[in-house]
Amino acid sequence: MTRIPEKERNIIEQAIYLPMVITILNRDLKIIDESPLKLKKPYMELVEEALKMAQKDLMEVRKYLRRENIKVSELKRDLDFTMYCFLYRGYEEHHNYFNPRLRNRVEELLAFYLVKRLMEDAKK
């Protein structure tokens, strides 16, 4: 059983997912730049803006974790699972994440930063 409240666990998980999102966006920027597309600029701007938002969100998550003295670290990884260690208010917890679940959640976040975030901004 976990001692970490759901709100904090969601923030901790953002500390896991957002670096993956940022890595993918950086890789995509490089691929777009090296691609034979005639008009790269609109694609680059879209990915760069998503990257800025993800970096800003990660910065906020890291500030929160530092302020609350919460630490997250990857312990081990195999083909199916990745284990993380969460240090939360003096307690140490190990959590296994199914790698396809990690990939799916990162994919959802990519969709949010690339498309859904823009749609939310347009509604405002």
Side-chain angles (χ1 to χ4, degrees), residues 20-81:
M20 294 178 193
V21 169
I22 290 168
T23 299
I24 291 167
L25 289 171
N26 279 320
R27 193 176 302 154
D28 291 351
L29 268 177
K30 186 176 179 185
I31 290 169
I32 291 169
D33 190 43
E34 295 170 355
S35 74
L37 291 170
K38 281 221 186 269
L39 301 172
K40 298 176 188 179
K41 189 176 178 186
Y43 300 105
M44 299 276 292
E45 288 175 355
L46 177 67
V47 174
E48 285 170 351
E49 188 62 31
L51 182 59
K52 284 180 196 171
M53 293 303 296
Q55 288 170 333
K56 179 181 171 228
D57 289 349
L58 180 59
M59 186 179 71
E60 293 298 319
V61 165
R62 286 185 174 161
K63 274 187 201 175
Y64 180 85
L65 295 178
R66 199 170 327 135
R67 187 173 59 244
E68 297 296 322
N69 199 23
I70 301 170
K71 296 193 181 349
V72 180
S73 59
E74 182 180 317
L75 290 180
K76 65 180 182 177
R77 176 185 303 258
D78 61 30
L79 290 174
D80 296 322
F81 291 93

Side-chain angles (χ1 to χ4, degrees), residues 11 39 79 85 90 118 123:
I11 294 171
L39 301 172
L79 290 174
C85 176
L118 297 174
K123 289 179 184 176

Side-chain angles (χ1 to χ4, degrees), residues 76-92:
K76 65 180 182 177
R77 176 185 303 258
D78 61 30
L79 290 174
D80 296 322
F81 291 93
T82 302
M83 181 181 280
Y84 290 93
C85 176
F86 303 157
L87 294 174
Y88 176 79
R89 296 190 179 158
Y91 295 101
E92 180 176 319

